[in-house]
Amino acid sequence: MRLGFGEYVLDLGTRQVFRVAEEILLSPKAFQLLELLTARRPNAVSKEELQKTLWPDTFVSETNLANLVSELRAAFGDEARQSHVIRTVQRFGYAFQADARDLPVAAAAGKAAAGCRLVWGEVEFPLREGENMIGRDPAAAVHVDDVSVSRYHARIVIDGAAARIEDLGSKNGTHVRESPIAGSVPLRDGDDVRLGSVAMVFHRSETGAPTETASRQ
């Protein structure tokens, strides 16, 4: 399960939190608290229940829980008096109150699609059979760290000899062969693809010669 809220992504599968392309490191207990609060959102969870879940069969003071809340607020740039993520419910407990949305889970890596790749300058992204997510999310198959690109901007689906690209409701749109796309459109070898202001080229070689993935600095 993956949740997006503001600039943040919570991945419960990999147990990671990201702000754009940067991972935010949380202590195991702080992550567990975040997991508990998001699971019950927007309802509040009592301090008693949180303490029993986080420290079963162990007596701890309320300071321990308060310290975890402070850790989460610091990670998300939150403030107790003007909280946008973790809300304090006086004389009761806490609630996750950010406007969260479910995000698609990155598809499991499949076998490489013969010779299919997106080229961005000197960087090549090999594409695999099935779904290849494109966007600013660090887990995307084609990770494009550019402000004009949405976190989940588009996806390319490879099905044997067929390749199609679909815009995912991105803010700045997806263009293929200089034309904006709506829905899914086929891709051919040499097609120009533009995501926001990022220009790429789709290539498909019949030989399936392997390519080397570079990291864009």
Side-chain angles (χ1 to χ4, degrees), residues 93-175:
Y94 300 96
F96 183 89
Q97 67 171 7
D99 185 13
R101 61 200 183 280
D102 290 332
L103 299 175
V105 177
K111 65 178 181 179
C116 289
R117 61 197 187 279
L118 275 179
V119 179
W120 179 21
E122 297 181 355
V123 183
E124 292 190 358
F125 297 96
L127 302 176
R128 296 182 175 272
E129 285 286 336
E131 181 181 82
N132 297 266
M133 298 294 296
I134 310 171
R136 286 194 354 262
D137 188 273
V142 180
H143 175 215
V144 184
D145 190 9
D146 186 279
V147 294
S148 69
V149 174
S150 299
R151 186 178 298 280
Y152 294 96
H153 197 106
R155 63 182 172 186
I156 292 177
V157 177
I158 309 293
D159 182 10
R164 302 185 68 87
I165 186 170
E166 177 185 3
D167 184 81
L168 298 177
S170 64
K171 180 179 179 180
N172 295 313
T174 301
H175 292 67

Side-chain angles (χ1 to χ4, degrees), residues 24 31 42 81 135 171 178 189:
I24 296 174
F31 190 95
R81 293 185 178 182
K171 180 179 179 180
E178 301 302 324
D189 180 45

